[in-house]
Amino acid sequence: MLEQIQNLPDRPGVYHYYDAGGHLLYVGKAKSLKKRVKSYFRFTPMLAPNPTLSPRIRKMLGETVSLNYIVVESEHDALILENSLIKQLKPKYNILLRDDKTYPYIYINRALPFPRFEITRKVVTGSRIEYFGPYSVGARDILDSLYDLVPLVQKQSCLAGGKTCLFYQMKQCLGPCEGLVTPEAYAELIDEAKSLIDSKRKLLTRLEARMAFYAEALRFEEAAKLRDRIDRIERSEQLSKIDLANAADYDIFAVAHNDRYAAIVRLFMRRGKIVSSAFDTIRTGALFDPGELYERTLLEFYVHDQPPIVAPILVADDFETRDWVASALSKHLGRKVEIHAPQRGEKRKVIDTARLNAEELLKKQRHTGAEATAEAVQALYGLTSFPERVEVFDNSHLAGVAPVGAMIVAEKGTFLKKAYRHYNLNARDEYAQMREMLTRRIESFGSNPPPDLWIIDGGRTLLLLATDLLASAGVNLDVIAVSKEKIDAKAHRAKGKAADLVHTSEETLRLPTSDPRLHWVQRLRDEAHRFAITFHKKQREKEAKSSNLLQLKGISEAKIKKLLNHYGTFEAVYAAPEEELAALLNIADAKIIKNSYR
């Protein structure tokens, strides 16, 4: 390794540290690979970690036995590549953030004579585009409220129609399609709608008045919908009491942390007022680095998708790479990005509010029984990461018919059904099917980062398959497998009774059937099995509908399902003796089937 360090190029790039087992420990970026990597070490009397480094980095270097690097053209490229590799490879000592979602904006094109408010997540081309937001929640509710309260053009197709429609009759539109309102008068409506966006209290007051009207008119369903809308809009402006005496725009980020968790709060200030907020919490430890969390949060927020508005960025704490991140974002977004860490004045007051909210979030983080069980699972199964986000894989087929795969996702003990995925597979045996499914999941790590743990429904053979595929891709990810107990050659799944085997990379465990650490795995496995079976049945029914059997008079879908459950494939049905078919169905149906295939 000493020779590797001495021969590093004096160029920008990304470096990787590996342990004795070839596992990726850390990905870092450098303006000069030679200078940056050398700064980690003391070279006399022998190669050793630099004692001035943080405990986290010294611990990492204590496990390092080799390094690799990638040379890039610029410092900007190094920062972007580092961010991408951390997401895909999940190094042990880097912070992995999954919040790469974009936030919606409301916008309007004032260059049009009769413009409409719309929602966007990207930059919209135009010379007179005005943006409002971003909104973490409530954007759609605000937009719907504008069209309920102000008689604007309700639909994009309205103007093209050339004649007034039902909205005009309901007094929700003034009829610009027939020239019944001038552009100047319509502009006043736009200003009224803008005032409702700028003052959510004014908007809420008008919505509450309309809700009361509906309630008095006994229109309770409409009143309830407005109540829910008001609640969502209120949540989007929970911090809007902050009001600077100027029309400043800022994006504000603050981190607070303790020995278990870190909270990152984002506030979005537009025209001197907080328009929305968002937050995330992650697990930490004694080796947590707040500076890296700031860096990763800013890169995730601004690099993933170019936001329509890039306001000056305020951070609650200065961090080592602040200027570097600002420069990289400026190049990436094509406009100047400023990142400040103010220590006093109005800006500091806003930052302190963000920090206060981050600290309040930490107070709400309770160490639950579910977390205690997950910690026990981590210790028992020798997992390198706390299993906060877990992906579970299962496949299903019936004698080669409709082979499918399923992936379910659980995060913080809750099933995330919107993250579930199913796979139509081509392979015919279970090993090849699992290989196909896991390979496709690994290929998607660039856009959907890996979790903390994979659970495979299967035995040690499939566990080794998964670990080999991950190793080939260079990804750090814990894997365990669970194989079902067999009773009379059938899988026994009953919670609390099934003595399933749990396979780790080191050993196979048979836990007592009452052990909650076994129940934890079984619950996830059973959900994956349910999801796989459900999708498999749908695919089989689809194949059955396209089968020639359905064209036969008297052969219903129910009968086809019965035949497939017994024989497995259509080929086996056609090959079955007429006597067997008659025993399953009846003599007449058996004759119809056999005659159709002769």
Side-chain angles (χ1 to χ4, degrees):
M1 187 163 143
L2 177 59
E3 184 178 351
Q4 286 179 296
I5 296 172
Q6 292 173 335
N7 292 320
L8 287 168
D10 187 16
R11 295 187 59 185
V14 175
Y15 54 92
H16 306 165
Y17 287 130
Y18 297 90
D19 66 12
H23 302 118
L24 183 62
L25 296 175
Y26 185 77
V27 172
K29 75 281 184 190
K31 300 176 182 178
S32 165
L33 287 166
K34 187 181 190 72
K35 294 176 183 176
R36 178 58 176 164
V37 175
K38 279 188 174 182
S39 71
Y40 282 102
F41 298 96
R42 290 285 175 84
F43 294 87
T44 55
M46 58 184 296
L47 187 67
N50 189 330
T52 63
L53 297 170
S54 69
R56 170 171 165 267
I57 298 300
R58 291 203 305 272
K59 186 176 188 302
M60 180 267 294
L61 292 174
E63 300 176 30
T64 300
V65 299
S66 65
L67 67 90
N68 203 347
Y69 63 89
I70 301 171
V71 175
V72 296
E73 291 295 323
S74 66
E75 301 168 12
H76 161 260
D77 292 342
L79 192 65
I80 302 303
L81 177 59
E82 179 208 39
N83 186 56
S84 176
L85 290 175
I86 290 171
K87 288 180 65 174
Q88 295 181 59
L89 304 181
K90 199 176 180 293
K92 179 179 177 180
Y93 284 96
N94 290 104
I95 292 174
L96 176 67
L97 292 180
R98 295 185 177 84
D99 182 35
D100 55 0
K101 59 181 176 292
T102 56
Y103 295 82
Y105 291 74
I106 294 173
Y107 80 97
I108 189 167
N109 185 357
R110 295 301 294 264
L112 301 174
F114 301 105
R116 300 182 71 256
F117 291 91
E118 303 278 3
I119 285 181
T120 184
R121 295 174 185 268
K122 298 181 180 181
V123 174
V124 180
T125 57
S127 59
R128 295 185 61 195
I129 304 294
E130 292 183 34
Y131 296 100
F132 307 88
Y135 299 100
S136 52
V137 293
R140 175 58 60 183
D141 297 292
I142 293 172
L143 190 70
D144 291 343
S145 299
L146 297 182
Y147 287 107
D148 283 348
L149 299 173
V150 184
L152 302 167
V153 175
Q154 296 287 314
K155 302 290 181 183
Q156 287 182 339
S157 59
C158 286
L159 290 173
K163 59 184 299 184
T164 57
C165 60
L166 183 62
F167 291 116
Y168 176 77
Q169 317 238 344
M170 296 169 61
K171 302 189 185 315
Q172 286 187 285
C173 178
L174 298 184
C177 54
E178 290 190 10
L180 302 179
V181 61
T182 65
E184 292 75 20
Y186 189 85
E188 294 179 7
L189 298 178
I190 294 295
D191 292 337
E192 180 186 353
K194 284 177 57 179
S195 72
L196 296 178
I197 297 176
D198 290 335
S199 175
K200 288 184 188 171
R201 182 40 49 195
K202 181 178 178 181
L203 173 63
L204 291 169
T205 299
R206 291 183 61 174
L207 290 176
E208 287 163 356
R210 177 164 290 201
M211 180 179 66
F213 169 79
Y214 285 149
E216 289 174 7
L218 305 182
R219 296 162 65 177
F220 298 120
E221 185 175 346
E222 292 166 282
K225 288 181 180 178
L226 269 185
R227 178 203 60 207
D228 295 340
R229 183 190 295 180
I230 289 168
D231 177 64
R232 289 190 293 270
I233 295 174
E234 283 180 331
R235 282 191 283 119
S236 78
E237 62 116 34
Q238 58 186 317
L239 296 165
S240 63
K241 292 179 182 177
I242 304 170
D243 192 347
L244 297 185
N246 55 47
D249 291 351
Y250 294 114
D251 292 350
I252 303 140
F253 297 80
V255 168
H257 65 96
N258 55 31
D259 58 351
R260 281 187 179 274
Y261 306 98
I264 177 78
V265 166
R266 309 167 188 81
L267 304 184
F268 303 105
M269 174 172 279
R270 300 294 181 260
R271 300 176 183 85
K273 298 178 181 180
I274 299 295
V275 297
S276 66
S277 63
F279 69 88
D280 283 296
T281 56
I282 64 170
R283 289 181 64 90
T284 63
L287 304 178
F288 171 71
D289 180 8
E292 186 181 359
L293 181 54
Y294 277 114
E295 178 185 303
R296 298 279 295 129
T297 300
L298 293 173
L299 291 173
E300 289 296 323
F301 184 77
Y302 294 102
V303 171
H304 177 260
D305 228 338
Q306 182 170 325
I309 297 175
V310 180
I313 299 167
L314 306 182
V315 292
D317 307 282
D318 205 354
F319 57 98
E320 182 182 358
T321 58
R322 175 167 61 90
D323 292 339
W324 190 353
V325 171
S327 175
L329 292 181
S330 296
K331 184 173 181 180
H332 181 78
L333 298 172
R335 67 192 90 169
K336 184 173 178 57
V337 174
E338 301 175 357
I339 304 177
H340 304 286
Q343 301 302 310
R344 60 187 65 85
E346 284 186 336
K347 297 176 185 177
R348 188 67 216 182
K349 290 179 181 177
V350 176
I351 285 175
D352 288 342
T353 300
R355 173 101 74 187
L356 177 63
N357 279 269
E359 291 169 351
E360 287 298 316
L361 285 171
L362 290 182
K363 292 177 183 178
K364 296 177 183 178
Q365 290 291 324
R366 306 294 183 190
H367 190 57
T368 63
E371 278 192 308
T373 300
E375 287 175 352
V377 165
Q378 179 183 7
L380 176 66
Y381 301 143
L383 309 180
T384 57
S385 301
F386 177 81
E388 184 169 45
R389 187 180 177 100
V390 184
E391 293 175 356
V392 192
F393 297 87
D394 192 12
N395 50 29
S396 182
H397 67 99
L398 182 59
V401 174
V404 300
M407 179 190 82
I408 66 107
V409 182
E411 187 167 20
K412 298 180 180 178
T414 301
F415 290 122
L416 298 181
K417 297 197 174 183
K418 66 179 181 181
Y420 286 16
R421 296 290 182 270
H422 53 240
Y423 301 84
N424 286 301
L425 305 175
N426 297 313
R428 294 297 165 179
D429 65 273
E430 290 191 8
Y431 184 88
Q433 288 167 6
M434 187 62 72
R435 172 185 285 277
E436 182 182 348
M437 177 166 49
L438 297 182
T439 299
R440 287 166 64 179
R441 176 63 186 104
I442 290 171
E443 290 171 349
S444 70
F445 281 168
S447 57
N448 183 13
D452 302 301
L453 174 67
W454 269 3
I455 297 178
I456 308 297
D457 188 355
R460 179 162 292 279
T461 300
L462 294 183
L463 170 74
L464 295 175
L465 167 66
T467 55
D468 287 347
L469 290 174
L470 290 168
S472 298
V475 180
N476 272 357
L477 181 55
D478 290 314
V479 185
I480 62 175
V482 53
S483 56
K484 298 171 283 293
E485 178 189 31
K486 301 289 184 179
I487 296 180
D488 297 330
K490 293 185 178 181
H492 187 222
R493 297 181 178 275
K495 180 181 176 182
K497 296 180 181 179
D500 294 335
L501 301 177
V502 179
H503 309 274
T504 74
S505 58
E506 302 295 330
E507 60 183 333
T508 295
L509 302 169
R510 183 186 289 275
L511 300 175
T513 56
S514 60
D515 195 315
R517 297 169 297 183
L518 175 61
H519 296 168
W520 187 89
V521 176
Q522 288 174 327
R523 172 174 173 264
L524 297 171
R525 185 273 313 277
D526 292 346
E527 172 66 3
H529 183 72
R530 179 202 65 77
F531 187 56
I533 289 294
T534 301
F535 182 55
H536 171 63
K537 288 180 178 178
K538 289 180 180 178
Q539 296 304 94
R540 280 175 55 193
E541 290 172 8
K542 187 183 295 184
E543 287 197 14
K545 288 179 180 178
S546 63
S547 165
N548 288 334
L549 287 177
L550 269 182
Q551 312 305 317
L552 302 179
K553 184 177 180 180
I555 308 301
S556 65
E557 288 188 32
K559 290 177 181 178
I560 292 175
K561 289 180 184 179
K562 187 174 183 179
L563 290 170
L564 283 176
N565 284 332
H566 184 80
Y567 290 106
T569 66
F570 293 113
E571 291 78 4
V573 172
Y574 287 126
E578 188 173 316
E579 297 77 16
E580 284 188 13
L581 295 174
L584 278 172
L585 302 177
N586 56 60
I587 295 175
D589 288 340
K591 287 184 179 298
I592 290 173
I593 292 171
K594 296 305 291 185
N595 289 336
S596 72
Y597 198 63
R598 285 178 180 147

